[in-house]
């Protein structure tokens, strides 16, 4: 028996909401004398019926067309090498890579920090839902989240005018 995709992606109180932060690092991706306008990007994949920005702990996570996969660790001998794939049809990630590479040749966002944050829909801020009733799945609680995972971008795997994919490795510290 298979479960229809619509049911798997539907939103309910126990739906895991996956949020990400991508942080550029001074002296690796930009100079102290010429910092970019944005060094911390917050985003989510826009799945599970939430196709707009999400507010979590007073931060806005932009809905960006992306696919995050491979976070499973398997047995003790295999380290996870997850990937993040972004839509690049507007050249957003190519532009970011170009800006970083102007400071550090061929860096391609290597060693940028990526944080994976997960919570349940029932704990999302009331402001994420239309109507006066607030969160229809539960009570907003900004302290409720699964253990955060921290990664570094290991390398750019693919960059073209349609997608941009990065391989991540586990980070020892944030």
């Amino acid at each position: 028996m298979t479960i229809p995709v619509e049911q798997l992606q539907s939103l309910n109180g126990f739906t895991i909401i996956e949020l990400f932060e991508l942080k550029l690092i001074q002296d690796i991706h930009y100079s102290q004398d010429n910092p970019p306008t944005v060094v911390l990007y917050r985003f989510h994949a826009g799945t599970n019926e939430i196709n707009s920005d999400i507010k979590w702990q007073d931060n806005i996570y932009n809905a960006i067309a992306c696919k995050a996969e491979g976070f499973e660790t398997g047995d003790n001998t295999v380290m996870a090498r997850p990937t993040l794939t972004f839509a690049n049809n507007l050249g957003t990630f190519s532009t970011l890579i170009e800006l970083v590479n102007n400071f550090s040749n061929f860096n391609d966002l290597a060693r940028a920090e990526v944080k994976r944050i997960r919570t349940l829909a029932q704990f999302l801020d009331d402001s994420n839902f239309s109507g006066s009733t607030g969160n229809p799945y539960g009570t907003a609680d900004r302290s409720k989240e699964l253990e955060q995972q921290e990664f570094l971008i290991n390398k750019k795997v693919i960059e073209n005018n349609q997608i941009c994919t990065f391989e991540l490795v586990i980070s020892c510290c944030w």
Side-chain angles (χ1 to χ4, degrees):
M1 178 175 158
T2 59
I3 300 172
V5 172
E6 298 82 30
Q7 286 183 350
L8 291 173
Q9 292 182 340
S10 67
L11 190 62
N12 64 56
F14 298 104
T15 299
I16 294 176
I17 304 298
E18 193 172 45
L19 309 168
F20 293 94
E21 295 179 355
L22 184 142
K23 181 179 176 186
L24 302 181
I25 307 302
Q26 182 179 305
D27 299 327
I28 296 176
H29 303 114
Y30 63 93
S31 73
Q32 177 181 345
D33 301 330
N34 190 22
T37 307
V38 179
V39 296
L40 180 63
Y41 299 85
R42 291 183 173 98
F43 61 93
H44 73 100
T47 57
N48 299 101
E49 296 180 8
I50 300 180
N51 298 320
S52 59
D53 297 345
I54 291 177
K55 187 173 185 182
W56 173 248
Q57 298 179 341
D58 294 327
N59 296 308
I60 301 296
Y61 290 82
N62 301 109
I64 296 179
C66 68
K67 180 178 176 181
E69 59 188 351
F71 288 95
E72 305 79 25
T73 55
D75 60 31
N76 293 334
T77 61
V78 180
M79 247 200 315
R81 294 256 177 176
T83 58
L84 282 175
T85 300
F86 298 94
N88 196 35
N89 52 344
L90 299 176
T92 305
F93 282 89
S94 290
T95 301
L96 180 58
I97 290 169
E98 183 178 348
L99 290 172
V100 167
N101 287 348
N102 285 337
F103 174 74
S104 179
N105 288 336
F106 305 108
N107 177 281
D108 294 337
L109 293 177
R111 296 190 287 170
E113 297 173 345
V114 175
K115 187 182 289 187
R116 181 184 186 211
I117 303 163
R118 294 170 296 155
T119 188
L120 298 178
Q122 64 182 320
F123 301 126
L124 288 177
D125 297 0
D126 291 336
S127 62
N128 290 297
F129 302 94
S130 61
S132 59
T133 60
N135 187 334
Y137 306 108
T139 304
D141 188 341
R142 59 187 299 142
S143 68
K144 302 287 187 186
E145 64 181 58
L146 299 170
E147 182 179 352
Q148 294 184 6
Q149 295 175 306
E150 297 165 357
F151 300 90
L152 297 175
I153 291 180
N154 185 46
K155 64 182 177 181
K156 176 183 73 177
V157 178
I158 298 170
E159 178 190 3
N160 59 41
N161 61 358
Q162 295 174 341
I163 64 169
C164 196
T165 300
F166 300 96
E167 177 188 78
L168 308 178
V169 293
I170 295 173
S171 172
C172 64
C173 51
W174 179 256

